[in-house]
Every structure is written in C-alpha cells, then in structure tokens.
Amino acid sequence: PLARSLDDLAIVLDVVSGFDPADPATAVMQEQPVPHFRQQLDSLDINELRLGVLTDYMEQADPLVRRMINDTMDWYREQGAEIVDIATPGLAGLITRSGVLGHEFRSDLNQYLAAFLSEDILNLGEVVDLGLYHQAVHGALSRSRAVIRNEESYESALAGRVELRGAVEALMEGHQVDALVYPTISELPVFTGEPQPGNNCSLSANSGLPALAMPVGFSSAGLPVGMELLGRFMADAELLAIAHPFESTRNPRRAPVSTPRLVNGVAPVSLTKNVFLSAGEIEISGQLLIDEARNLFSYTLERVDNSAQSLYALTVVIDGEAFGLNDPVVLNLFGPDGRSTAADYYMSPEFRVALAEGRLYFKLFGEGLPLSGYAQAVP
C-alpha cells in the first residue's frame, strides 16, 4: 500500500493483512500471529538497531540520493543505532535470473479482468488493441501480450527466487543486521510518462522479502528522494517501527507544490484573465488560464495591431530582490515578429509563489522600445 504516513500505512495493513481463502499466496498467514502493525510502531529501541547499507547500490546512485541516505544513516547513528557497510557480490546476477513478471503478468491480468471488470474487456490483448493504456507502458504491455509461456524458463525463474532469498537472508544473518538499506530509486524522479532509470524494487519483489520505501528528503528542485529498508521474512511490522522515529522527528514528507489549496474541501476553480499590452504601436491581446489543480499557466495571445513596428520578444519575468524587473526570463511567449501564440506552462514552485504575490511581469521587447523592454504586471 501507498500512504502519506506510517500511521496511515499501519492502519491499512492492519485491515488487509491475514489469511484470505481466495488467495493461495496468503496461506502462510494461517500459521502466523496477527502482526498488529499500529501497536508496534513505537516498539523499537534504536540502541539495539543494526542496519546494513548495501554499498554496491549506493555507489551506483545519484550523488544527491547517496548524500541524503548517508545523512539519514548519520541520524540513526546519532540516536544509537549501529550502521555497517555491506558489499553484495553476485546479487545482480541472481536478481536477473529470478524475475517472473514476464511469465506471470498476462495470465494474472487476464484472471483479474475476468473476475472483476466488465464483460467488454476480457484480456490483455483487447486492452492493447483498444489502446486502453497510457503511452508510457506501451512497450511493456506489447511485450507481455507477445510472450509465449515457457514452463521450463518459468520453473528456472522460480528456483532463482529461492536462491536469491537464501542469499539475502544469509547476508543479513552473516552481518547480524535488522534491515538492509539502499536507494528506492538510484536516480532522481523523471517526469510522468518518461522511463525511470535506477529502480531497485527487484531485490524485494524477486526475493519475496518485505521492503518499506520511506521518504528522506528533497532535491533543490523539490524532487523527492526515497530510501528502502528490506527485512527478514514476515518482519513487515518491524520495518515500520524502524522508520517511525525518523518520520516522527524529521517529518520528511511534504505535499507537492502543485497540490491545490482546498477551500471548504473543494479544489479551486480555474481562473480566466484578459490580457492587453500596448507599447509604441505594438498591441497584444488574449487570455490567461490559471489552473491550480493541474498546476498549469495557459495562455492564448495574439498581436492585434497592423503596425510595421517589429516585435522582438514577449517574455515573463519574476520581480526579484536582486535585479528587480531586469531578472532573468522565466518564460518565452513570443519570438521575433510573432503574430500569435498558445501553450501550457507547468508552473515551477517559484513561478507559483510569484504569481500569488503579484510579482510576475510581462516584458515586451521591440523596435523603438527601451533596450530593457516594456514591463507590465501579469493580471
């Protein structure tokens, strides 16, 4: 489950954990005590905690990701935990040989569609044929549709999972650690829809051992950095307890800057503003659309005069303390001698703040205008 806090996560896990007769994978829970995730959140004595940092994973990580995880380990060390470095020779090969997603995805999805969705969509082939997916997963879905199940390869992958789990458990036992630490994703997040490099989820997924991804900080651009804790079999509740003191002290989560402010529980409506600029003989008219819910600054602008006076550029700047209205351009609207323009701009955190504070300005550059441009506040 995904949750905004460990307390929320514990509540959900307390509800969904246990034996489900409709799911053979949960048969192990018939012999296990109920975990009581929420009750165990404060059960950890950090002075008795020993964490193992996977050095191979850390060396491959983006420097910022590596620094933030090291800072987090320093915090745990200051609270009394013992931190050790662990090399992982051979794990990469075991992970490669133990993946079953390619073998299972199509049949599992088809089974899900048959059990829960409408009779109109029966299988993965129809999902692909009808284009009922985001373009970002086109390759993965097309490959899964084309897979011909090879039972020998599937059995080999299942055997590889047993071998991988044994290797990881031996690693933890040999170093006497309560959990392994590594980046959830080795690289900083990319835009939605783009391929994300550096995903380390296979270690938990292929070994069948529990893992918890916890936020540990942000880049200067506001991109989140995550750290993963991997524990022993059935140690899920212990992982939450390990992360809980860090979350309680450091509060490492914050809402994205694009999250709209709710008014009486309702997202703000889009605002439409009329624009008219006039400098020399140049006149530009149009509309702005401010959509907080989607974090978009949309504009439709047109030059409406019939003058021969050349327009060099129309830009947007933020009125800052250092340079005033000579601050660097943050958005180009018109190029030389442009007549019309329309586009959506995904607002940066600084842009949103400046818009709210009335510090956004149009800067118009053209023939006969001051070299510094003609400035007019964005309405």
Side-chain angles (χ1 to χ4, degrees):
L2 299 177
R4 61 183 176 178
S5 71
L6 286 165
D7 191 51
D8 284 359
L9 180 59
I11 292 171
V12 172
L13 289 172
D14 278 334
V15 172
V16 303
S17 61
F19 172 64
D20 179 356
D23 184 0
T26 67
V28 65
M29 291 304 297
Q30 290 182 292
E31 304 172 358
Q32 296 286 338
V34 178
H36 296 300
F37 287 91
R38 203 173 185 206
Q39 289 182 17
Q40 295 190 59
L41 278 179
D42 294 315
S43 62
L44 177 73
D45 183 351
I46 296 186
N47 290 292
E48 298 178 358
L49 180 64
R50 185 174 165 92
L51 298 175
V53 179
L54 299 187
T55 54
D56 296 356
Y57 283 74
M58 294 290 284
E59 289 169 359
Q60 298 168 10
D62 180 274
L64 177 64
V65 174
R66 188 164 58 245
R67 176 172 62 80
M68 289 197 168
I69 293 178
N70 285 334
D71 288 347
T72 303
M73 290 298 94
D74 288 342
W75 183 89
Y76 275 97
R77 188 180 287 109
E78 291 168 359
Q79 312 312 309
E82 187 175 0
I83 312 298
V84 297
D85 290 337
I86 300 177
T88 55
L91 275 192
L94 288 174
I95 291 173
T96 301
R97 298 198 302 271
S98 57
V100 297
L101 184 61
H103 299 282
E104 296 179 345
F105 179 79
R106 184 176 65 181
S107 60
D108 285 356
L109 181 63
N110 290 348
Q111 182 180 357
Y112 173 83
L113 293 174
F116 296 109
L117 295 185
S118 92
E119 296 179 357
D120 297 330
I121 308 297
L122 300 178
N123 54 56
L124 174 61
E126 294 183 358
V127 171
V128 174
D129 289 341
L130 295 173
L132 302 177
Y133 56 88
H134 192 283
Q135 186 62 29
V137 296
H138 170 74
L141 295 189
S142 298
R143 287 192 298 271
S144 294
R145 181 191 187 186
V147 164
I148 298 175
R149 180 92 161 238
N150 183 306
E151 290 301 327
E152 183 177 348
S153 296
Y154 182 44
E155 292 298 327
S156 176
L158 292 175
R161 293 167 70 85
V162 175
E163 187 178 357
L164 174 62
R165 175 170 158 182
V168 174
E169 290 178 329
L171 199 66
M172 296 182 69
E173 184 64 28
H175 291 272
Q176 288 295 293
V177 294
D178 300 290
L180 299 177
V181 173
Y182 51 92
T184 304
I185 299 176
S186 297
E187 303 292 335
L188 293 174
V190 300
F191 284 107
T192 301
E194 295 181 5
Q196 174 65 62
N199 193 325
N200 292 324
C201 69
S202 296
L203 181 57
S204 169
N206 291 14
S207 67
L209 297 173
L212 172 72
M214 54 185 283
V216 293
F218 295 86
S219 72
S220 58
L223 296 175
V225 173
M227 183 183 87
E228 193 141 312
L229 297 170
L230 184 140
R232 291 183 172 83
F233 184 62
M234 299 301 297
D236 307 59
E238 182 180 351
L239 294 179
L240 272 68
I242 292 173
H244 192 242
F246 181 81
E247 179 190 76
S248 301
T249 304
R250 297 288 287 268
N251 190 25
R253 179 195 178 275
R254 64 171 180 251
V257 67
S258 58
T259 301
R261 295 165 294 179
L262 302 183
V263 179
N264 296 324
V266 178
V269 298
S270 300
L271 298 177
T272 301
K273 299 181 178 182
N274 293 322
V275 173
F276 184 75
L277 293 97
S278 178
E281 296 180 359
I282 299 175
E283 294 182 345
I284 295 175
S285 178
Q287 283 190 332
L288 303 178
L289 179 67
I290 315 299
D291 188 342
E292 279 194 65
R294 295 194 299 155
N295 197 47
L296 292 180
F297 177 89
S298 304
Y299 52 89
T300 302
L301 301 170
E302 181 180 8
R303 184 170 177 179
V304 295
D305 63 88
N306 294 316
S307 169
Q309 184 177 355
S310 294
L311 182 153
Y312 302 150
L314 177 63
T315 66
V316 176
V317 300
I318 294 175
D319 179 18
E321 296 180 359
F323 306 104
L325 291 180
N326 289 319
D327 277 293
V329 169
V330 296
L331 182 60
N332 286 303
L333 305 177
F334 269 103
D337 294 322
R339 299 300 306 185
S340 63
T341 183
D344 298 326
Y345 170 68
Y346 190 82
M347 294 182 283
S348 68
E350 295 79 11
F351 193 97
R352 282 177 66 103
V353 171
L355 178 64
E357 295 178 351
R359 294 189 292 109
L360 281 186
Y361 281 80
F362 292 116
K363 288 289 289 288
L364 180 62
F365 300 89
E367 181 183 358
L369 300 181
L371 291 177
S372 60
Y374 166 78
Q376 180 174 314
V378 174

